[in-house]
Short mmCIF file of all heavy atoms in Angstrom, two decimals:
data_model
loop_
_atom_site.label_atom_id
_atom_site.label_comp_id
_atom_site.label_asym_id
_atom_site.label_seq_id
_atom_site.Cartn_x
_atom_site.Cartn_y
_atom_site.Cartn_z
N MET R 1 20.78 14.11 -13.16
CA MET R 1 20.40 13.03 -14.04
C MET R 1 18.99 13.24 -14.56
O MET R 1 18.03 12.67 -14.07
CB MET R 1 20.49 11.72 -13.28
CG MET R 1 20.88 10.59 -14.16
SD MET R 1 20.87 9.03 -13.26
CE MET R 1 21.90 8.19 -14.39
N GLY R 2 18.79 14.06 -15.50
CA GLY R 2 17.52 14.20 -16.18
C GLY R 2 16.41 14.84 -15.39
O GLY R 2 16.61 15.77 -14.62
N ASP R 3 15.21 14.31 -15.58
CA ASP R 3 13.99 14.88 -15.01
C ASP R 3 13.48 14.13 -13.79
O ASP R 3 12.28 14.03 -13.59
CB ASP R 3 12.89 14.90 -16.07
CG ASP R 3 13.25 15.73 -17.28
OD1 ASP R 3 13.93 16.75 -17.10
OD2 ASP R 3 12.86 15.34 -18.40
N SER R 4 14.35 13.58 -12.97
CA SER R 4 13.88 12.83 -11.80
C SER R 4 13.28 13.77 -10.78
O SER R 4 13.74 14.89 -10.59
CB SER R 4 15.02 12.03 -11.18
OG SER R 4 16.00 12.91 -10.70
N LYS R 5 12.20 13.31 -10.14
CA LYS R 5 11.53 14.11 -9.11
C LYS R 5 12.28 13.97 -7.80
O LYS R 5 12.68 12.87 -7.42
CB LYS R 5 10.10 13.64 -8.91
CG LYS R 5 9.20 13.95 -10.06
CD LYS R 5 7.77 13.54 -9.72
CE LYS R 5 6.83 13.89 -10.83
NZ LYS R 5 5.44 13.53 -10.51
N VAL R 6 12.45 15.06 -7.10
CA VAL R 6 13.08 15.04 -5.79
C VAL R 6 11.98 15.19 -4.76
O VAL R 6 11.18 16.12 -4.81
CB VAL R 6 14.11 16.18 -5.64
CG1 VAL R 6 14.68 16.19 -4.23
CG2 VAL R 6 15.20 16.03 -6.67
N SER R 7 11.92 14.25 -3.82
CA SER R 7 10.88 14.27 -2.81
C SER R 7 11.49 14.50 -1.45
O SER R 7 12.56 14.00 -1.14
CB SER R 7 10.14 12.94 -2.82
OG SER R 7 9.20 12.91 -1.79
N THR R 8 10.79 15.27 -0.63
CA THR R 8 11.29 15.53 0.71
C THR R 8 10.63 14.63 1.74
O THR R 8 10.98 14.67 2.90
CB THR R 8 11.04 17.00 1.09
OG1 THR R 8 9.62 17.25 1.01
CG2 THR R 8 11.78 17.93 0.16
N GLY R 9 9.65 13.82 1.32
CA GLY R 9 8.93 12.94 2.24
C GLY R 9 9.72 11.71 2.60
O GLY R 9 10.74 11.37 1.99
N GLU R 10 9.23 11.01 3.59
CA GLU R 10 9.85 9.78 4.06
C GLU R 10 9.31 8.61 3.25
O GLU R 10 8.16 8.58 2.85
CB GLU R 10 9.48 9.61 5.54
CG GLU R 10 10.04 8.38 6.18
CD GLU R 10 9.59 8.28 7.64
OE1 GLU R 10 9.36 9.30 8.27
OE2 GLU R 10 9.47 7.14 8.10
N LEU R 11 10.16 7.61 3.00
CA LEU R 11 9.73 6.42 2.29
C LEU R 11 9.22 5.38 3.28
O LEU R 11 9.81 5.18 4.33
CB LEU R 11 10.88 5.83 1.47
CG LEU R 11 11.42 6.71 0.36
CD1 LEU R 11 12.61 6.03 -0.31
CD2 LEU R 11 10.35 7.04 -0.66
N ILE R 12 8.11 4.73 2.92
CA ILE R 12 7.52 3.70 3.77
C ILE R 12 7.07 2.53 2.90
O ILE R 12 6.91 2.68 1.68
CB ILE R 12 6.32 4.22 4.58
CG1 ILE R 12 5.23 4.77 3.65
CG2 ILE R 12 6.75 5.27 5.58
CD1 ILE R 12 3.93 5.09 4.34
N HIS R 13 6.87 1.36 3.52
CA HIS R 13 6.31 0.24 2.76
C HIS R 13 4.80 0.23 2.99
O HIS R 13 4.32 0.46 4.09
CB HIS R 13 6.96 -1.08 3.15
CG HIS R 13 6.62 -1.57 4.51
ND1 HIS R 13 7.21 -1.07 5.66
CD2 HIS R 13 5.74 -2.49 4.93
CE1 HIS R 13 6.71 -1.68 6.71
NE2 HIS R 13 5.81 -2.55 6.31
N VAL R 14 4.07 0.02 1.89
CA VAL R 14 2.62 0.04 1.93
C VAL R 14 2.07 -1.12 1.11
O VAL R 14 2.77 -1.72 0.30
CB VAL R 14 2.05 1.37 1.36
CG1 VAL R 14 2.41 2.55 2.24
CG2 VAL R 14 2.51 1.61 -0.06
N HIS R 15 0.79 -1.43 1.34
CA HIS R 15 0.07 -2.38 0.51
C HIS R 15 -0.71 -1.57 -0.51
O HIS R 15 -1.40 -0.62 -0.16
CB HIS R 15 -0.89 -3.21 1.37
CG HIS R 15 -1.88 -4.00 0.57
ND1 HIS R 15 -1.50 -5.08 -0.21
CD2 HIS R 15 -3.21 -3.86 0.40
CE1 HIS R 15 -2.58 -5.57 -0.81
NE2 HIS R 15 -3.63 -4.85 -0.44
N VAL R 16 -0.57 -1.93 -1.79
CA VAL R 16 -1.30 -1.26 -2.86
C VAL R 16 -2.27 -2.26 -3.46
O VAL R 16 -1.88 -3.33 -3.91
CB VAL R 16 -0.34 -0.72 -3.94
CG1 VAL R 16 -1.10 -0.02 -5.05
CG2 VAL R 16 0.69 0.23 -3.33
N CYS R 17 -3.55 -1.91 -3.45
CA CYS R 17 -4.59 -2.79 -3.99
C CYS R 17 -4.32 -3.04 -5.47
O CYS R 17 -4.13 -2.09 -6.24
CB CYS R 17 -5.97 -2.17 -3.80
SG CYS R 17 -7.31 -3.14 -4.53
N ILE R 18 -4.31 -4.32 -5.87
CA ILE R 18 -4.04 -4.66 -7.27
C ILE R 18 -5.24 -4.37 -8.16
O ILE R 18 -5.11 -4.37 -9.38
CB ILE R 18 -3.60 -6.13 -7.43
CG1 ILE R 18 -4.70 -7.08 -6.97
CG2 ILE R 18 -2.30 -6.40 -6.69
CD1 ILE R 18 -4.44 -8.54 -7.29
N HIS R 19 -6.39 -4.10 -7.56
CA HIS R 19 -7.60 -3.85 -8.34
C HIS R 19 -7.85 -2.36 -8.56
O HIS R 19 -8.10 -1.94 -9.69
CB HIS R 19 -8.82 -4.47 -7.65
CG HIS R 19 -8.67 -5.93 -7.42
ND1 HIS R 19 -8.75 -6.87 -8.43
CD2 HIS R 19 -8.42 -6.64 -6.30
CE1 HIS R 19 -8.55 -8.08 -7.95
NE2 HIS R 19 -8.35 -7.97 -6.65
N CYS R 20 -7.79 -1.55 -7.50
CA CYS R 20 -8.13 -0.12 -7.63
C CYS R 20 -6.94 0.81 -7.41
O CYS R 20 -7.05 2.00 -7.64
CB CYS R 20 -9.26 0.25 -6.68
SG CYS R 20 -8.82 0.29 -4.92
N GLY R 21 -5.81 0.27 -6.93
CA GLY R 21 -4.62 1.09 -6.74
C GLY R 21 -4.57 1.90 -5.46
O GLY R 21 -3.68 2.70 -5.27
N SER R 22 -5.55 1.68 -4.57
CA SER R 22 -5.56 2.40 -3.30
C SER R 22 -4.36 1.99 -2.45
O SER R 22 -3.94 0.83 -2.49
CB SER R 22 -6.85 2.12 -2.54
OG SER R 22 -7.95 2.63 -3.25
N ILE R 23 -3.83 2.93 -1.70
CA ILE R 23 -2.64 2.71 -0.89
C ILE R 23 -3.01 2.68 0.59
O ILE R 23 -3.71 3.58 1.06
CB ILE R 23 -1.61 3.83 -1.14
CG1 ILE R 23 -1.24 3.90 -2.62
CG2 ILE R 23 -0.38 3.64 -0.27
CD1 ILE R 23 -0.44 5.13 -2.97
N PHE R 24 -2.55 1.64 1.30
CA PHE R 24 -2.82 1.50 2.73
C PHE R 24 -1.56 1.06 3.45
O PHE R 24 -0.76 0.30 2.91
CB PHE R 24 -3.91 0.45 2.98
CG PHE R 24 -5.19 0.76 2.27
CD1 PHE R 24 -5.47 0.19 1.04
CD2 PHE R 24 -6.11 1.63 2.81
CE1 PHE R 24 -6.65 0.47 0.37
CE2 PHE R 24 -7.29 1.93 2.16
CZ PHE R 24 -7.55 1.34 0.94
N ARG R 25 -1.42 1.52 4.67
CA ARG R 25 -0.34 1.01 5.51
C ARG R 25 -0.64 -0.45 5.82
O ARG R 25 -1.78 -0.81 6.07
CB ARG R 25 -0.25 1.78 6.83
CG ARG R 25 0.31 3.17 6.68
CD ARG R 25 0.47 3.79 8.07
NE ARG R 25 1.06 5.10 7.98
CZ ARG R 25 2.37 5.31 8.05
NH1 ARG R 25 3.20 4.32 8.24
NH2 ARG R 25 2.85 6.53 7.95
N ARG R 26 0.37 -1.28 5.78
CA ARG R 26 0.16 -2.69 6.06
C ARG R 26 -0.34 -2.89 7.48
O ARG R 26 -1.06 -3.84 7.76
CB ARG R 26 1.46 -3.47 5.83
CG ARG R 26 1.24 -4.95 5.91
CD ARG R 26 2.43 -5.72 5.40
NE ARG R 26 2.24 -7.12 5.73
CZ ARG R 26 3.18 -7.94 6.07
NH1 ARG R 26 4.41 -7.51 6.12
NH2 ARG R 26 2.93 -9.19 6.34
N GLU R 27 0.01 -2.00 8.38
CA GLU R 27 -0.44 -2.10 9.77
C GLU R 27 -1.96 -1.99 9.89
O GLU R 27 -2.52 -2.35 10.92
CB GLU R 27 0.23 -1.00 10.62
CG GLU R 27 1.73 -1.16 10.77
CD GLU R 27 2.52 -0.59 9.59
OE1 GLU R 27 1.99 0.24 8.82
OE2 GLU R 27 3.69 -0.99 9.44
N ALA R 28 -2.63 -1.50 8.84
CA ALA R 28 -4.09 -1.37 8.87
C ALA R 28 -4.78 -2.73 8.77
O ALA R 28 -5.97 -2.84 9.03
CB ALA R 28 -4.55 -0.47 7.73
N PHE R 29 -4.03 -3.76 8.41
CA PHE R 29 -4.58 -5.10 8.25
C PHE R 29 -4.14 -5.99 9.40
O PHE R 29 -3.04 -5.85 9.91
CB PHE R 29 -4.12 -5.71 6.92
CG PHE R 29 -4.55 -4.92 5.73
CD1 PHE R 29 -3.72 -3.97 5.16
CD2 PHE R 29 -5.80 -5.11 5.17
CE1 PHE R 29 -4.11 -3.23 4.06
CE2 PHE R 29 -6.21 -4.38 4.07
CZ PHE R 29 -5.36 -3.44 3.51
N GLU R 30 -5.00 -6.92 9.78
CA GLU R 30 -4.64 -7.84 10.86
C GLU R 30 -5.41 -9.14 10.69
O GLU R 30 -6.21 -9.29 9.78
CB GLU R 30 -4.95 -7.22 12.22
CG GLU R 30 -6.37 -6.77 12.39
CD GLU R 30 -6.59 -6.03 13.71
OE1 GLU R 30 -5.69 -5.33 14.17
OE2 GLU R 30 -7.68 -6.20 14.26
N GLY R 31 -5.16 -10.07 11.58
CA GLY R 31 -5.90 -11.33 11.62
C GLY R 31 -5.76 -12.17 10.38
O GLY R 31 -4.67 -12.51 9.95
N ARG R 32 -6.89 -12.51 9.78
CA ARG R 32 -6.94 -13.42 8.64
C ARG R 32 -6.07 -12.95 7.48
O ARG R 32 -5.40 -13.73 6.83
CB ARG R 32 -8.38 -13.58 8.16
CG ARG R 32 -8.51 -14.52 6.99
CD ARG R 32 -9.98 -14.62 6.53
NE ARG R 32 -10.04 -15.16 5.20
CZ ARG R 32 -9.92 -14.46 4.07
NH1 ARG R 32 -9.78 -13.16 4.12
NH2 ARG R 32 -9.97 -15.03 2.88
N ALA R 33 -6.05 -11.65 7.23
CA ALA R 33 -5.27 -11.11 6.11
C ALA R 33 -3.78 -11.42 6.29
O ALA R 33 -3.10 -11.79 5.34
CB ALA R 33 -5.49 -9.61 5.98
N LEU R 34 -3.30 -11.27 7.50
CA LEU R 34 -1.87 -11.50 7.74
C LEU R 34 -1.51 -12.98 7.66
O LEU R 34 -0.43 -13.33 7.21
CB LEU R 34 -1.46 -10.92 9.09
CG LEU R 34 -1.55 -9.39 9.19
CD1 LEU R 34 -1.19 -8.94 10.59
CD2 LEU R 34 -0.67 -8.72 8.17
N THR R 35 -2.40 -13.84 8.09
CA THR R 35 -2.09 -15.27 8.07
C THR R 35 -2.33 -15.90 6.71
O THR R 35 -1.62 -16.82 6.31
CB THR R 35 -2.90 -16.04 9.14
OG1 THR R 35 -4.29 -15.82 8.92
CG2 THR R 35 -2.51 -15.59 10.52
N SER R 36 -3.32 -15.41 5.97
CA SER R 36 -3.63 -15.99 4.66
C SER R 36 -2.86 -15.34 3.52
O SER R 36 -2.68 -15.96 2.47
CB SER R 36 -5.13 -15.86 4.37
OG SER R 36 -5.47 -14.51 4.13
N GLY R 37 -2.46 -14.09 3.71
CA GLY R 37 -1.79 -13.37 2.64
C GLY R 37 -2.75 -12.74 1.65
O GLY R 37 -2.35 -12.14 0.67
N LEU R 38 -4.06 -12.87 1.90
CA LEU R 38 -5.08 -12.26 1.05
C LEU R 38 -5.68 -11.06 1.77
O LEU R 38 -6.18 -11.18 2.88
CB LEU R 38 -6.18 -13.27 0.71
CG LEU R 38 -5.72 -14.46 -0.13
CD1 LEU R 38 -6.86 -15.46 -0.28
CD2 LEU R 38 -5.22 -14.00 -1.48
N PHE R 39 -5.61 -9.94 1.13
CA PHE R 39 -6.03 -8.68 1.73
C PHE R 39 -7.28 -8.16 1.04
O PHE R 39 -7.33 -8.08 -0.19
CB PHE R 39 -4.91 -7.65 1.63
CG PHE R 39 -3.72 -8.00 2.47
CD1 PHE R 39 -2.82 -8.96 2.06
CD2 PHE R 39 -3.51 -7.38 3.67
CE1 PHE R 39 -1.72 -9.30 2.83
CE2 PHE R 39 -2.42 -7.70 4.46
CZ PHE R 39 -1.53 -8.67 4.04
N THR R 40 -8.31 -7.82 1.82
CA THR R 40 -9.52 -7.22 1.28
C THR R 40 -9.37 -5.71 1.33
O THR R 40 -9.11 -5.14 2.38
CB THR R 40 -10.76 -7.65 2.10
OG1 THR R 40 -10.84 -9.07 2.08
CG2 THR R 40 -12.03 -7.06 1.52
N CYS R 41 -9.51 -5.08 0.19
CA CYS R 41 -9.34 -3.63 0.09
C CYS R 41 -10.50 -2.91 0.78
O CYS R 41 -11.66 -3.16 0.46
CB CYS R 41 -9.29 -3.22 -1.38
SG CYS R 41 -9.15 -1.44 -1.63
N PRO R 42 -10.19 -2.01 1.72
CA PRO R 42 -11.24 -1.25 2.39
C PRO R 42 -12.00 -0.31 1.45
O PRO R 42 -13.12 0.07 1.73
CB PRO R 42 -10.49 -0.43 3.45
CG PRO R 42 -9.20 -1.13 3.64
CD PRO R 42 -8.88 -1.76 2.31
N LYS R 43 -11.41 0.04 0.32
CA LYS R 43 -12.04 0.97 -0.61
C LYS R 43 -12.94 0.27 -1.62
O LYS R 43 -14.10 0.61 -1.76
CB LYS R 43 -10.98 1.80 -1.33
CG LYS R 43 -11.57 2.90 -2.18
CD LYS R 43 -10.51 3.86 -2.67
CE LYS R 43 -11.18 4.98 -3.45
NZ LYS R 43 -10.19 5.95 -3.89
N CYS R 44 -12.40 -0.73 -2.35
CA CYS R 44 -13.19 -1.37 -3.41
C CYS R 44 -13.82 -2.70 -2.97
O CYS R 44 -14.72 -3.20 -3.64
CB CYS R 44 -12.35 -1.57 -4.66
SG CYS R 44 -11.09 -2.86 -4.55
N GLY R 45 -13.31 -3.29 -1.87
CA GLY R 45 -13.88 -4.53 -1.37
C GLY R 45 -13.36 -5.78 -2.03
O GLY R 45 -13.71 -6.89 -1.63
N ASP R 46 -12.54 -5.66 -3.06
CA ASP R 46 -11.98 -6.83 -3.73
C ASP R 46 -10.83 -7.40 -2.93
O ASP R 46 -10.14 -6.68 -2.20
CB ASP R 46 -11.51 -6.49 -5.14
CG ASP R 46 -12.66 -6.32 -6.12
OD1 ASP R 46 -13.77 -6.80 -5.83
OD2 ASP R 46 -12.43 -5.69 -7.18
N GLU R 47 -10.60 -8.69 -3.08
CA GLU R 47 -9.55 -9.38 -2.34
C GLU R 47 -8.40 -9.71 -3.28
O GLU R 47 -8.62 -10.06 -4.44
CB GLU R 47 -10.11 -10.65 -1.72
CG GLU R 47 -9.20 -11.33 -0.74
CD GLU R 47 -9.89 -12.49 -0.05
OE1 GLU R 47 -10.08 -13.53 -0.69
OE2 GLU R 47 -10.22 -12.33 1.13
N GLY R 48 -7.18 -9.60 -2.76
CA GLY R 48 -6.02 -9.92 -3.56
C GLY R 48 -4.81 -10.18 -2.69
O GLY R 48 -4.86 -10.00 -1.46
N PRO R 49 -3.70 -10.61 -3.30
CA PRO R 49 -2.49 -10.91 -2.54
C PRO R 49 -1.82 -9.64 -2.03
O PRO R 49 -2.06 -8.54 -2.54
CB PRO R 49 -1.60 -11.61 -3.58
CG PRO R 49 -2.04 -11.02 -4.88
CD PRO R 49 -3.53 -10.80 -4.74
N LEU R 50 -0.96 -9.82 -1.04
CA LEU R 50 -0.17 -8.72 -0.52
C LEU R 50 0.66 -8.14 -1.65
O LEU R 50 1.34 -8.87 -2.38
CB LEU R 50 0.74 -9.20 0.61
CG LEU R 50 1.71 -8.18 1.18
CD1 LEU R 50 0.95 -7.03 1.85
CD2 LEU R 50 2.64 -8.83 2.18
N ASN R 51 0.58 -6.86 -1.83
CA ASN R 51 1.30 -6.16 -2.90
C ASN R 51 2.08 -5.02 -2.25
O ASN R 51 1.59 -3.90 -2.16
CB ASN R 51 0.31 -5.63 -3.94
CG ASN R 51 1.00 -4.95 -5.10
OD1 ASN R 51 2.14 -5.23 -5.42
ND2 ASN R 51 0.32 -4.01 -5.71
N VAL R 52 3.27 -5.33 -1.75
CA VAL R 52 4.07 -4.34 -1.04
C VAL R 52 4.84 -3.48 -2.03
O VAL R 52 5.48 -3.98 -2.96
CB VAL R 52 5.06 -5.02 -0.07
CG1 VAL R 52 5.96 -4.00 0.60
CG2 VAL R 52 4.31 -5.80 0.98
N GLU R 53 4.76 -2.18 -1.82
CA GLU R 53 5.52 -1.23 -2.60
C GLU R 53 6.14 -0.21 -1.66
O GLU R 53 5.63 0.03 -0.57
CB GLU R 53 4.63 -0.51 -3.62
CG GLU R 53 4.08 -1.43 -4.68
CD GLU R 53 3.29 -0.70 -5.75
OE1 GLU R 53 3.38 0.55 -5.81
OE2 GLU R 53 2.58 -1.38 -6.50
N ILE R 54 7.23 0.39 -2.09
CA ILE R 54 7.87 1.47 -1.34
C ILE R 54 7.35 2.77 -1.94
O ILE R 54 7.51 3.02 -3.12
CB ILE R 54 9.41 1.40 -1.43
CG1 ILE R 54 9.92 0.04 -0.97
CG2 ILE R 54 10.04 2.55 -0.66
CD1 ILE R 54 9.60 -0.30 0.46
N ARG R 55 6.71 3.57 -1.09
CA ARG R 55 6.13 4.82 -1.56
C ARG R 55 6.54 5.96 -0.63
O ARG R 55 6.98 5.74 0.49
CB ARG R 55 4.59 4.73 -1.57
CG ARG R 55 4.02 3.71 -2.52
CD ARG R 55 4.11 4.20 -3.95
NE ARG R 55 3.48 3.29 -4.88
CZ ARG R 55 2.28 3.48 -5.43
NH1 ARG R 55 1.57 4.53 -5.10
NH2 ARG R 55 1.80 2.61 -6.28
N ASN R 56 6.32 7.15 -1.09
CA ASN R 56 6.56 8.35 -0.31
C ASN R 56 5.36 8.56 0.62
O ASN R 56 4.23 8.31 0.23
CB ASN R 56 6.69 9.54 -1.27
CG ASN R 56 7.18 10.77 -0.60
OD1 ASN R 56 6.52 11.28 0.28
ND2 ASN R 56 8.34 11.24 -1.02
N THR R 57 5.60 9.01 1.84
CA THR R 57 4.50 9.22 2.79
C THR R 57 3.49 10.23 2.25
O THR R 57 2.32 10.17 2.62
CB THR R 57 5.02 9.70 4.16
OG1 THR R 57 5.82 10.86 3.98
CG2 THR R 57 5.80 8.62 4.85
N ASP R 58 3.91 11.13 1.38
CA ASP R 58 2.99 12.10 0.78
C ASP R 58 1.90 11.41 -0.04
O ASP R 58 0.79 11.90 -0.13
CB ASP R 58 3.75 13.07 -0.12
CG ASP R 58 4.78 13.90 0.63
OD1 ASP R 58 4.67 13.99 1.87
OD2 ASP R 58 5.69 14.43 -0.02
N GLU R 59 2.21 10.25 -0.63
CA GLU R 59 1.24 9.54 -1.44
C GLU R 59 0.15 8.88 -0.60
O GLU R 59 -0.95 8.67 -1.08
CB GLU R 59 1.93 8.46 -2.27
CG GLU R 59 2.85 9.01 -3.33
CD GLU R 59 3.47 7.90 -4.14
OE1 GLU R 59 2.74 7.19 -4.85
OE2 GLU R 59 4.70 7.73 -4.04
N LEU R 60 0.44 8.56 0.64
CA LEU R 60 -0.51 7.88 1.50
C LEU R 60 -1.70 8.77 1.81
O LEU R 60 -2.82 8.30 1.88
CB LEU R 60 0.16 7.44 2.80
CG LEU R 60 -0.64 6.54 3.72
CD1 LEU R 60 -1.04 5.25 3.00
CD2 LEU R 60 0.12 6.22 4.96
N SER R 61 -1.48 10.06 1.95
CA SER R 61 -2.57 10.97 2.29
C SER R 61 -3.29 11.51 1.06
O SER R 61 -4.26 12.22 1.18
CB SER R 61 -2.03 12.14 3.12
OG SER R 61 -1.02 12.81 2.41
N ALA R 62 -2.81 11.15 -0.13
CA ALA R 62 -3.42 11.66 -1.37
C ALA R 62 -4.74 11.00 -1.66
O ALA R 62 -5.08 9.97 -1.22
CB ALA R 62 -2.47 11.45 -2.53
#
C-alpha cells in the first residue's frame, strides 16, 4: 500500500509536550501531574494537559 514506513520497533504510549514536541514516557511523571492532569515539560518547562500518543520506541531515544 504505497509509501508506508515499516518499523521494527515496539509501539508504546507516551506523553508529547504540546509546546515543544518532546516525547516522554508517562511513567516519568508522578504526584501532582497525575492527579491534576497538567504536566510540566522537563525540556521546555511549559505546562499543559496530558497528550498521549502511540509512538515507536525508536522515537523516544531520538
Side-chain angles (χ1 to χ4, degrees):
M1 212 184 200
D3 300 324
S4 64
K5 290 184 177 181
V6 176
S7 176
T8 58
E10 180 181 331
L11 297 177
I12 58 170
H13 70 281
V14 293
H15 167 69
V16 180
C17 176
I18 62 171
H19 303 287
C20 71
S22 296
I23 302 170
F24 303 96
R25 287 185 177 268
R26 188 168 170 216
E27 294 83 19
F29 299 94
E30 56 185 34
R32 181 181 162 274
L34 295 177
T35 57
S36 70
L38 296 175
F39 293 78
T40 302
C41 178
K43 187 169 183 178
C44 72
D46 285 341
E47 190 173 74
L50 176 64
N51 182 27
V52 176
E53 294 185 14
I54 304 299
R55 297 285 184 102
N56 190 297
T57 54
D58 299 340
E59 293 182 65
L60 189 59
S61 58

